[in-house]
Amino acid sequence: MADLFALTEEALAGMDVELVDVERAALGLLRVTIDRVGGVRIEDCEQVSRQLSRVYEVENIDYKRLEVGSPGVDRPLRTEAEFRRFAGERIEIKLREALDGRKVFSGTLTVPEDEAAADAAAGMHKTVFGLEFEAKKNEVQVLNFTVEDIERAKLDPVLDFKGKKR
């Protein structure tokens, strides 16, 4: 599957889209999830679908149906670059190991500028991110973590009943 991800990523190079995921599903479905700054348009999905259909045919990738779409409002976050891109947004993370009996936290993602600069200057590859969350009513705490500390992470926007992001 890593080879399929790498092949797909290479096929999309220069198309102004970011490959988020490639997933094989039941009945021969191949699901490709893309994103781009400003959001994915239907034209992006059509263009990617045409490009990948040609590439997969040449590379003999077996599938019955290709589905190209956006990650949605709860987009997964996996890399340091993705965490940096979505700094200031509300996210949900699940830690690999419990902290005070808790693994799942939701709050605002922060990237400490001084630590990121210090990490880069020291040649370290692990950036320490922060998550501002409400521990108790009107009490905000900060959880510091690295990408290696989390099992999964995703955007967690608050939507009102009209579907608008707050």
Side-chain angles (χ1 to χ4, degrees):
M1 198 63 164
D3 292 336
L4 182 57
F5 188 90
L7 173 70
T8 305
E9 196 169 43
E10 187 179 318
L12 300 181
M15 291 185 72
D16 194 33
V17 296
E18 171 192 359
L19 179 62
V20 175
D21 197 16
V22 178
E23 171 190 5
R24 284 195 182 272
L27 304 173
L29 173 64
L30 188 56
R31 183 175 294 129
V32 176
T33 307
I34 59 170
D35 199 4
R36 71 188 281 273
V37 176
V40 176
R41 301 168 309 190
I42 190 71
E43 295 84 10
D44 300 320
C45 294
E46 290 171 351
Q47 184 181 16
V48 166
S49 181
R50 281 192 300 274
Q51 173 73 2
L52 292 179
S53 294
R54 290 189 287 266
V55 170
Y56 291 163
E57 183 177 344
V58 168
E59 296 293 331
N60 293 321
I61 302 297
D62 185 37
Y63 69 96
K64 292 198 181 351
R65 199 173 92 228
L66 177 63
E67 178 182 291
V68 178
S70 73
V73 295
D74 60 346
R75 179 197 201 282
L77 304 174
R78 295 188 183 100
T79 65
E80 283 192 14
E82 290 171 340
F83 279 92
R84 288 181 191 284
R85 175 178 167 196
F86 291 103
E89 297 287 332
R90 183 175 166 79
I91 68 166
E92 176 185 286
I93 62 171
K94 180 177 182 183
L95 298 173
R96 292 185 192 281
E97 296 181 21
L99 180 68
D100 296 330
R102 184 175 166 188
K103 281 188 165 188
V104 179
F105 294 84
S106 292
T108 304
L109 175 64
T110 62
V111 180
E113 291 180 30
D114 55 339
E115 287 190 36
D119 288 349
M124 296 174 62
H125 294 92
K126 295 181 183 179
T127 301
V128 177
F129 296 96
L131 183 72
E132 295 178 354
F133 67 98
E134 193 171 309
K136 296 177 184 171
K137 190 169 183 128
N138 298 324
E139 181 186 321
V140 176
Q141 289 187 356
V142 177
L143 170 70
N144 291 315
F145 66 95
T146 65
V147 173
E148 290 78 20
D149 295 333
I150 59 172
E151 185 174 313
R152 65 172 167 74
K154 65 178 186 167
L155 291 179
D156 187 33
V158 175
L159 302 174
D160 67 16
F161 291 107
K162 295 178 184 172
K164 294 180 182 174
K165 185 176 165 185
R166 286 194 276 172

